[in-house]
């Protein structure tokens, strides 16, 4: 029985993919027919866009996380209070990091949206996309200029220039795509009102350069207005959407858009390519996991002369100076790795990602980006100092939020579980409790650690290290722990057992029917 | 006609993938049957390993390229001669970078080999793999310790300890995999001599820790011997293979191993997962493309006070100081992006990657890794100095080799084109000439630039900048250029025209038959 169910997980995923392929082949057949009728000119070789998008995701994920480097490399004097220096940091560098992360993920979401419409590429589009990527990688710099010199128009001008050119390139991509309809999304390709789609998409894309153009002009006249304009361009779609949603809730009207209309709608359940969310997430986790080793490899190889003079030629003595750095590296790698593992388990069972889930994922990733920094802080101070305690508590808070946002993705998915989740992890599925335990492990452990360090502040370092060592083993033994907990729960609620059993049988049948239907 | 052929490219790829899926489904069916007979215990949810491998590839590609950072951050005094400081650099840092790249790619190849046998994972294997990754990310550091203190055994001990633990973890993965046969490669799963496979694979995997164990012991007694042992462990399989190949050539015997025996054989045509080669390559290109912007974002935001005092508050004046850095960034991003584009075009038409192609790809990537550094050098010196000329020539040489190794991949693929290439780019296919032009563009342009800078050394900077500007447009117009060149060639060789035509017709038919068959 257990065997069968596992096979179904694999088969489910495989059959899903096969269906995708099949529909693609089917459509490329129909396109073959339509194309031979409508067009005859020789156009360059059409390609699947898969790898181009993977490369773009890799680039964007690096760019999203790099502004954490200036934060991480800010030196804190050992005698300085952490609170104080944190405030100093918070004012600019951390804010720049978070804002860059937000802006880059906004650009990334626009990129996903665009290539959900243009599903096939040729050489021309590949080169245009590379140009677009180059400009996106430049955005963080313009942003840090803006943050350092808020009253000088140059930063805002550079940012606007980049945004305008990116918008224009995207518009060219759309126009080129609609000029060569075999590059388009299958749905739009067979749709009758292609011109409607084209105008709708162009309108949304060109809104950004238009706003930026005015923001650039206003930066000379009255620069606060240009900041307002830039904020508008990012938040306006969200604001109108949430207002609309609230309005609908109050009136009680429930309008369900057909899925095809959700493209370029900014609706919270607008579909977001699951594959690309995964690729972007993998990129961010990979960069963050290796962030500390980058520094270690560059800075922590002791100098030959120094070893001779200062440590009497003993390399081990010289290296033990760097001990805290290594500990921080292993600690942060393990934590980031396990958070990735949780994300991986979650998305294995998510069948469709929506824009709202993507937003939660972004928040979770932004927290993960700060993790290596927090870990580095925990090992930088003398034992039992007030700074050490604070650094440990900050680490706990960051891990807690990274975990909570992952949990929130699952909860969001559960609200619409028929569409977004695999039957096994839906409410009542056999993996439901296990999944919940996986997602809840880090938030609950860090919350416990946080409160323990508040009470037993003397032993904070020990508690923290114990937590770090226990968690990987907890993940290894999680399945056993969950089944023990479930049987304990059953034992406690024994009176309700007969009813429970009946329910369970129903539950174990549910996935079956779902797979068949 | 053109339409049809394009659709065939897409269809070819799609049908290929579908076949893969189908065979997987088929086998998971057969496994379903075999598993329900042989095993009854409940094991945790089995998963496709795709995303785990993508994440591992991302981590390994970052680690492979990070040792370029210490090279890039070595400051060269403007009055120092480049030759001199390059020699100083070459002795340690560049050697460390290249050796790290080699070692990490060896570890990566072992990882591919392992997960070509273990095709499905569960939570336990995912966590083991993360532990393995953590140790791999630590290898570059031990390596730079070895290079800085070659006579101290600590570096070699750390390296050996890591290698031993990695080997043991891989052995555990193999034993676990063979203990749960539904995780295995479909071919091995249905094979009768599973125990033979298991022993063969374990023997190869455990050879590395065994060698490292002895190397570690000898590091105390006579350390040069341990370096010899470590070199042996990396090069031995290659040496025996090439000796065997030479022997076969001399004797004239041609032994063709069946594909199933090629797993874990170190044979040059051992299959290498094409998907993973692409993922690793994308990772390296993405890191390298953004390497310079990382530095720019961190170091090149001018200080508020400095701008006030030194530049009388003019931000533009302050930024123009950094002009060369920005130019270097855009130049290297464009070059890396276009080399990626060539690689992408090539692998779109490669249907199967072999170990030898992987090796050539590694060499190409190692060159690409040095590119941002070379570009940075080109802009660091005063106009028309001897250093500038040398920096430009070094850049040309690096790009040339990166391009030549890509071309070599294609040539290797052509030797066995029926198995490794899509019909369109085989000798005589309609995309053959276009593909060749794409691959040959960078090598030929850089070679021309190199010789031009030798002759017209006064205008070297202008020639180099012209090259940078011309190349992207050359890529855009390449299809037109190729067809012009082909028709010119035809015009020149007019007498042979009738024969040529007959040949061409044959050629244009060839792909068709291949697709059908």
């Amino acid at each position: 029985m257990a065997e069968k169910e596992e096979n179904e997980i694999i088969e489910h995923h495989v059959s899903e993919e096969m269906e995708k392929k099949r529909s693609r082949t089917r459509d490329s057949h129909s396109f073959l027919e339509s194309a031979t009728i409508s067009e005859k000119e020789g156009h360059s070789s059409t390609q699947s866009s898969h790898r181009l998008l993977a490369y773009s995701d890799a680039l964007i994920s690096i760019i999203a996380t790099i502004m954490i480097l200036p934060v991480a490399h800010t030196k804190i004097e050992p005698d300085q209070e952490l609170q104080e220096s944190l405030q100093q940091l918070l004012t600019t560098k951390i804010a720049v990091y978070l804002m860059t992360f937000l802006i880059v993920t906004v650009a990334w979401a626009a990129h996903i949206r665009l290539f959900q419409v243009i599903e096939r590429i040729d050489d021309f589009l590949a080169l245009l996309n590379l140009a677009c990527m180059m400009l996106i990688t430049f955005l963080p710099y313009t942003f840090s200029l803006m943050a350092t010199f808020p009253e000088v128009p140059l930063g805002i001008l550079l940012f606007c220039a980049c945004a305008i050119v990116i918008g224009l390139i995207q518009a060219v991509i759309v126009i080129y795509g609609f000029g060569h309809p075999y590059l388009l999304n299958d749905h739009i390709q067979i749709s009758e009102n292609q011109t409607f789609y084209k105008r709708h998409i162009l309108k949304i894309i060109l809104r950004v350069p238009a706003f930026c153009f005015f923001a650039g002009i206003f930066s000379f006249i009255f620069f606060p207005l240009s900041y307002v304009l830039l904020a508008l361009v990012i938040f306006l779609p969200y604001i109108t959407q949430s207002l609309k949603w609230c309005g609908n809730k109050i009136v009680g009207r429930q309008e369900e858009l057909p899925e095809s209309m959700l493209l370029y709608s900014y609706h919270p359940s607008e579909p977001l390519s699951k594959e690309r969310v995964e690729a972007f997430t993998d990129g961010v986790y990979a960069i963050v996991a290796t962030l500390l080793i980058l520094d270690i490899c560059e800075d922590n190889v002791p100098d030959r002369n120094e070893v001779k003079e200062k440590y009497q030629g003993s390399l081990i003595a010289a290296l033990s100076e760097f001990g805290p750095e290594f500990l921080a590296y292993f600690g942060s790698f393990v934590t980031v790795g396990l958070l990735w593992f949780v994300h991986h388990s979650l998305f294995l069972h998510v069948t469709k990602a929506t824009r709202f889930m993507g937003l939660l994922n972004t928040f979770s990733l932004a927290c993960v980006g700060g993790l290596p920094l927090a870990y580095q802080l925990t090992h930088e101070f003398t034992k039992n100092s007030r700074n050490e305690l604070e650094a440990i508590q900050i680490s706990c808070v960051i891990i807690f939020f990274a975990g909570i946002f992952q949990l929130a993705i699952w909860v969001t998915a559960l609200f619409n579980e028929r569409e977004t989740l695999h039957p096994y992890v839906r409410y009542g599925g056999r993996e439901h409790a296990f999944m919940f335990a996986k997602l809840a492990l880090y938030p609950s452990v860090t919350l416990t650690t946080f409160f323990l360090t508040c009470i037993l502040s003397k032993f904070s370092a020990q508690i923290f290290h114990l937590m770090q060592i226990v968690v990987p083993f907890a993940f290894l033994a999680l399945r056993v722990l969950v089944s023990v907990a479930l049987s304990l729960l059953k034992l406690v609620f024994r009176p309700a057992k007969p009813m429970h059993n009946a329910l369970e049988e129903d539950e174990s049948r549910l996935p079956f029917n779902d797979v068949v239907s």
Side-chain angles (χ1 to χ4, degrees), chain A:
Chain A
M1 183 61 201
E3 313 280 331
K4 267 192 197 168
E5 288 183 4
E6 267 143 48
N7 282 304
E8 275 152 28
I9 293 192
I10 298 179
E11 271 174 55
H12 170 84
H13 287 288
V14 170
S15 66
E16 203 178 88
E17 275 171 66
M18 273 185 68
E19 210 165 283
K20 255 189 253 164
K21 306 279 168 206
R22 221 178 280 142
S23 74
R24 211 176 289 162
T25 340
R26 192 199 323 125
D27 283 296
S28 72
H29 270 290
S30 74
F31 137 44
L32 181 77
E33 287 150 26
S34 72
T36 38
I37 295 163
S38 63
E39 301 190 6
K40 282 285 173 190
E41 31 179 4
H43 30 69
S44 60
S45 63
T46 318
Q47 308 145 8
S48 139
S49 62
H50 171 76
R51 203 177 150 199
L52 181 81
L53 300 182
Y55 183 59
S56 308
D57 288 338
L59 281 175
I60 298 178
S61 58
I62 296 171
I63 291 308
T65 43
I66 58 162
M67 292 314 291
I68 199 71
L69 283 179
V71 187
H73 290 170
T74 310
K75 284 278 158 264
I76 297 171
E77 303 299 315
D79 54 329
Q80 209 174 348
E81 276 293 304
L82 184 57
Q83 278 287 340
E84 198 183 296
S85 51
L86 253 186
Q87 272 168 2
Q88 199 184 322
L89 267 176
L90 266 175
T91 43
T92 52
K93 288 187 179 172
I94 292 181
V96 169
Y97 162 66
L98 289 175
M99 289 305 290
T100 310
F101 204 97
L102 182 73
I103 293 224
V104 171
T105 46
V106 166
W108 171 71
H111 193 264
I112 293 188
R113 214 169 269 142
L114 181 64
F115 283 93
Q116 278 177 342
V117 172
I118 315 278
E119 278 193 348
R120 277 166 283 271
I121 56 158
D122 59 13
D123 284 2
F124 179 66
L125 288 187
L127 291 171
L128 272 188
N129 182 60
L130 284 179
C132 191
M133 280 301 125
M134 188 166 76
L135 290 165
I136 290 179
T137 58
F138 198 64
L139 286 183
Y141 183 73
T142 64
F143 214 77
S144 62
L145 271 188
M146 269 197 262
T148 332
F149 302 93
E151 75 291 348
V152 180
L154 187 68
I156 222 168
L157 272 181
L158 276 176
F159 182 86
C160 290
C162 281
I164 289 172
V165 179
I166 292 171
L168 291 180
I169 291 178
Q170 290 190 338
V172 171
I173 291 177
V174 168
I175 291 168
Y176 183 85
F178 277 90
H180 302 70
Y182 53 92
L183 298 172
L184 292 177
N185 181 329
D186 300 327
H187 174 81
I188 297 177
Q189 212 176 105
I190 54 169
S191 142
E192 280 170 10
N193 40 2
Q194 273 191 19
T195 41
F196 162 74
Y197 275 113
K198 187 177 164 183
R199 284 178 60 188
H200 173 67
I201 293 168
L202 277 179
K203 210 174 70 189
I204 289 182
I205 286 180
L206 289 175
R207 202 163 55 185
V208 178
F211 268 81
C212 286
F213 182 71
F214 288 113
I217 290 176
F218 277 115
S219 68
F220 289 109
I221 307 166
F222 181 61
F223 66 85
L225 190 62
S226 44
Y227 286 106
V228 173
L229 273 175
L230 288 185
L232 260 186
V233 78
I234 291 171
F235 294 109
L236 196 64
Y238 298 83
I239 294 167
T240 52
Q241 274 301 323
S242 38
L243 281 180
K244 216 183 266 175
W245 186 82
C246 290
N248 285 346
K249 278 278 153 182
I250 291 164
V251 180
R253 191 158 39 102
Q254 268 251 318
E255 50 161 349
E256 280 284 319
L257 281 168
E259 195 162 318
S260 59
M261 292 301 288
L262 281 173
L263 283 174
Y264 272 96
S265 70
Y266 291 94
H267 195 273
S269 58
E270 181 185 348
L272 209 65
S273 161
K274 185 194 154 203
E275 210 177 31
R276 295 199 60 188
V277 174
E278 288 180 353
F280 178 70
T281 310
D282 285 351
V284 171
Y285 275 104
I287 296 286
V288 171
T290 47
L291 218 53
L292 290 185
I293 202 79
L294 292 179
D295 283 344
I296 287 179
C297 279
E298 201 177 339
D299 303 329
N300 293 6
V301 180
D303 192 63
R304 283 186 75 89
N305 297 329
E306 209 190 29
V307 170
K308 236 181 228 160
E309 287 159 21
K310 212 165 150 192
Y311 303 99
Q312 288 85 41
S314 162
L315 184 59
I316 296 174
L319 284 185
S320 62
E321 282 278 294
F322 301 135
E325 269 91 351
F326 294 123
L327 251 178
Y329 168 63
F330 287 116
S332 83
F333 192 98
V334 168
T335 313
V336 171
L338 290 175
L339 282 170
W340 175 84
F341 172 70
V342 172
H343 191 276
H344 164 251
S345 303
L346 175 62
F347 270 69
L348 205 68
H349 295 291
V350 167
T351 50
K352 186 192 129 191
T354 64
R355 219 180 49 74
F356 187 65
M357 282 157 74
L359 198 68
L360 290 173
N361 192 40
T362 303
F363 291 150
S364 171
L365 290 178
C367 293
V368 168
L371 227 155
L373 168 67
Y375 263 80
Q376 210 170 14
L377 284 181
T378 57
H379 299 276
E380 216 155 63
F381 304 105
T382 44
K383 281 252 163 263
N384 295 326
S385 69
R386 199 175 152 63
N387 277 345
E388 197 199 41
L389 177 67
E390 269 165 15
I392 286 174
Q393 289 181 342
I394 291 170
S395 301
C396 287
V397 169
I398 291 180
I399 304 173
F400 175 76
F401 276 108
I404 277 292
F405 282 122
Q406 287 185 337
L407 192 64
I409 296 175
W410 195 50
V411 173
T412 315
L414 278 176
F415 268 112
N416 201 1
E417 57 178 15
R418 296 242 147 223
E419 267 185 42
T420 51
L421 283 182
H422 186 270
Y424 282 120
V425 290
R426 287 184 199 162
Y427 184 70
R430 68 180 268 265
E431 296 276 320
H432 182 84
F434 183 52
M435 194 47 154
F436 178 74
K438 256 187 193 170
L439 286 162
L441 185 61
Y442 256 121
S444 54
V445 166
T446 47
L447 205 65
T448 318
T449 315
F450 184 84
F451 284 118
L452 276 180
T453 53
C454 284
I455 304 165
L456 306 163
S457 54
K458 250 190 173 174
F459 305 100
S460 57
Q462 285 87 336
I463 294 170
F464 189 66
H465 290 308
L466 194 72
M467 186 270 273
Q468 280 179 261
I469 295 164
V470 164
V471 169
F473 291 101
F475 271 107
L476 271 178
L478 199 60
R479 193 169 284 276
V480 181
L481 290 179
V482 168
S483 47
V484 166
L486 280 183
S487 47
L488 270 180
L489 275 179
K490 259 186 217 161
L491 222 73
V492 172
F493 296 106
R494 206 162 214 176
K497 203 187 167 191
M499 196 203 88
H500 233 286
N501 260 7
L503 206 91
E504 242 169 62
E505 256 168 49
D506 259 12
E507 282 161 12
S508 62
R509 291 179 94 89
L510 179 83
F512 244 96
N513 299 337
D514 271 302
V515 168
V516 172
S517 67

